[in-house]
Amino acid sequence: MDPRAFVAGMSALGAGCAMIAGLGPGIGEGYVAGQACAAIGRQPECQSDVTRTMILGIAMAESTGIYALVVALILIFANPLVNFYNS
Amino acid sequence: MNGPQVYFEIPVLKGLPITESMRNQWFVMLLILCLCVFLTHNLQKIPTGKQALAEKAVVMLNGLVDSTMGEGCRHYAPFVAAIMLSSLFGSLISVLGLRPTTADLNTTLGWALIVCFLIHYSNIKFHGLKAYLKGYLEPIFIMAPLNILSEIATPVSMSFRHFGNMAGGLVISTLLLSALAAFSNAILGFLPVPLLQIGIPGILSLYFDLFTACMQAFIFSMLTMAYVGNARS
């Protein structure tokens, strides 16, 4: 088998595996939003503060998912391993 | 799905490429400059129309800076506004059919490095060089490599977050467009145009182009204020 085809196929598989990391941020962000809803329900007057903090927290929690996305994008569109066998 | 197109290379330092992202960012800067000149020329004592809009925006931004960074940080407001507007217009430019400049890691990494420089500069200016260097040895000296690593992680995470959101939206939009083209070729192949491409990508674009663009601009500037405010306290 052509080693480059093997590397390309394995990279596509790796990109798919990397996106499993999307689970974590999904659960975390859902929890944050639920807690924010509970907080606003208890104290509706601090809605703007809670919303702003929630957005920041969600952005922080999203980081790991974004890292996984970047890894997947690199593996698919800018794969450094495919040219490994050329040299 | 390709990266930004390289137009030509300036033959210094092994070739300095001029890309689509840079051209679009120059366009964005021109747009912001024109907007500023338009909103602020011919100022009156009693504001009307566009001047009231500009004053409202400035007051809102000053309030945001005050509430996030604390009192006495008003001089950071222009920098935060510049970052926010560059990011917002750079992302929203995709509505005009141009490639969003923030879907390029070079752009966001550039902004994140400026913010990183500002964080360390503020820290040294506010606490002094000795206290700044001592901060790396907190809580005990063994933690120094981890502290240095976390300082490096700040610009990396900021730039990757913005870039990942915009590039992810761009990839999904492109994939959906080609999928719709193939699908309408398969079931409506007798028509000369891919009919299913009309309208459906617009709904997705509402989220990826408008919502994500505003959200990421807000988050990037909020994180800038939070990090710089944290360095000063």
Side-chain angles (χ1 to χ4, degrees), chain B residues 130-170:
Chain B
K130 200 177 164 192
Y132 167 75
L133 290 175
K134 208 175 174 186
Y136 283 108
L137 303 179
E138 299 284 334
I140 46 170
F141 67 93
I142 306 171
M143 298 293 277
L146 283 178
N147 282 332
I148 293 171
L149 208 63
S150 81
E151 291 300 327
I152 296 171
T154 305
V156 171
S157 94
M158 274 177 88
S159 57
F160 271 16
R161 181 178 302 118
H162 200 156
F163 159 73
N165 270 292
M166 300 315 295
L170 195 66

Side-chain angles (χ1 to χ4, degrees), chain B residues 2-7 18-26 97-101 104:
Chain B
N2 293 314
Q5 192 188 345
V6 177
Y7 290 126
I18 301 295
T19 62
E20 205 179 351
S21 299
M22 291 174 73
R23 186 201 63 179
N24 291 353
Q25 191 64 39
W26 289 333
L98 296 165
R99 188 190 165 86
T101 59
D104 186 341

Side-chain angles (χ1 to χ4, degrees), chain A residues 5-52:
Chain A
F6 183 71
V7 169
M10 277 303 181
S11 303
L13 212 59
C17 290
M19 286 318 291
I20 296 174
L23 269 179
I27 295 171
E29 286 177 17
Y31 185 71
V32 169
Q35 290 290 319
C37 283
I40 292 172
R42 221 175 292 129
Q43 281 176 302
E45 65 272 11
C46 65
Q47 184 184 9
S48 62
D49 282 348
V50 170
T51 310
R52 196 189 308 148

Side-chain angles (χ1 to χ4, degrees), chain A residues 52 59 62-63 66-67 69 77, chain B residues 1 67 157 160-161 164 222:
Chain A
R52 196 189 308 148
E62 206 180 28
S63 300
I66 294 297
Y67 295 157
L69 177 71
F77 294 112
Chain B
M1 181 63 207
S67 69
S157 94
F160 271 16
R161 181 178 302 118
M222 279 296 283

